[in-house]
Amino acid sequence: MSFHHWFLYVLVIVTLIGVPGPSAVLCLTHGARHGGRRAIATVAGGVLAALTLMLLSVLGVGALLAASATLFTAIKLLGALYLLYLGISAWRSSAPALSGVSLDSGEIEVRPLRKLFGHGFMVGVGNPKDLLFFGALFPQFVDPHQAIVPQLLLLALTWVVADFSIMSSYALMGRRIAAFFTRLGGSRLFNRVTGGAFIAAGGALALSSR
């Protein structure tokens, strides 16, 4: 793989990862409610989900999903239901404890890191379209005249670095963005916006096709 192709790949994935989606909203929400440092566990769960989907795509599961409409629909609906569950939970949850509290005071809601990690993994792995995406993306940047495995490892490592960096930025910005919504219209507004984003994402996933 030439440097030119690798750099083009970096530009493509940074753009794709940077566009806010369900994982970004989750990292932002967890950053607001649990603190940016603890929300890194959420980021790590999402990164592991991406690696899992890459591996499954390389092993041919992506091709299986492309061939089986029933399997694709089943996984898609499960992912959509999970996003809807997160959306309803966020909508109904109590407001982040931000009113009258310094953003650096450390007064955050504590939740076990394994739960934050699990939420990050479930949201990341719940979209079967990502399997098809990796199956379509990687071949565009792999040189068939060179060893395939080292190139795939480089693409995966590059994705992990970009994904972790960008999602960590969302997590670390969570408290400040939540405070911004608090100033706009009350502390519950943040929950309404993030909950609505999850519900919209779940609905879009449920209605999407391959």
Side-chain angles (χ1 to χ4, degrees), residues 20-179:
S23 291
V25 174
L26 182 68
C27 291
L28 191 67
T29 304
H30 281 185
R33 300 191 66 87
H34 312 295
R37 292 183 180 180
R38 295 185 65 81
I40 297 300
T42 308
V43 176
V47 170
L48 179 61
L51 286 173
T52 301
L53 294 177
M54 290 179 202
L55 179 60
L56 291 175
S57 180
V58 170
L59 294 176
V61 176
L64 177 62
L65 286 178
S68 173
T70 301
L71 181 58
F72 179 90
T73 301
I75 296 177
K76 179 186 69 173
L77 290 178
L78 287 175
L81 287 173
Y82 188 71
L83 288 174
L84 291 174
Y85 161 75
L86 290 179
I88 294 172
S89 298
W91 188 281
R92 298 178 61 187
S93 65
S94 59
L98 294 172
S99 300
V101 177
S102 169
L103 294 177
D104 298 322
S105 67
E107 295 184 30
I108 58 176
E109 176 184 339
V110 177
R111 181 173 294 184
L113 293 179
R114 66 178 183 278
K115 290 189 176 181
L116 302 183
F117 180 90
H119 280 304
F121 180 83
M122 289 299 296
V123 169
V125 83
N127 187 356
K129 295 181 71 175
D130 284 350
L131 272 173
L132 307 183
F133 168 75
F134 286 125
L137 177 67
F138 281 3
Q140 307 301 319
F141 298 94
V142 172
D143 186 347
H145 302 296
Q146 299 181 20
I148 302 298
V149 172
Q151 294 183 79
L152 291 176
L153 290 176
L154 176 60
L155 293 177
L157 178 61
T158 303
W159 180 283
V160 166
V161 172
D163 195 11
F164 187 85
S165 300
I166 294 172
M167 290 300 120
S168 294
S169 298
Y170 277 112
L172 294 172
M173 290 189 301
R175 293 278 281 175
R176 296 190 180 280
I177 292 178

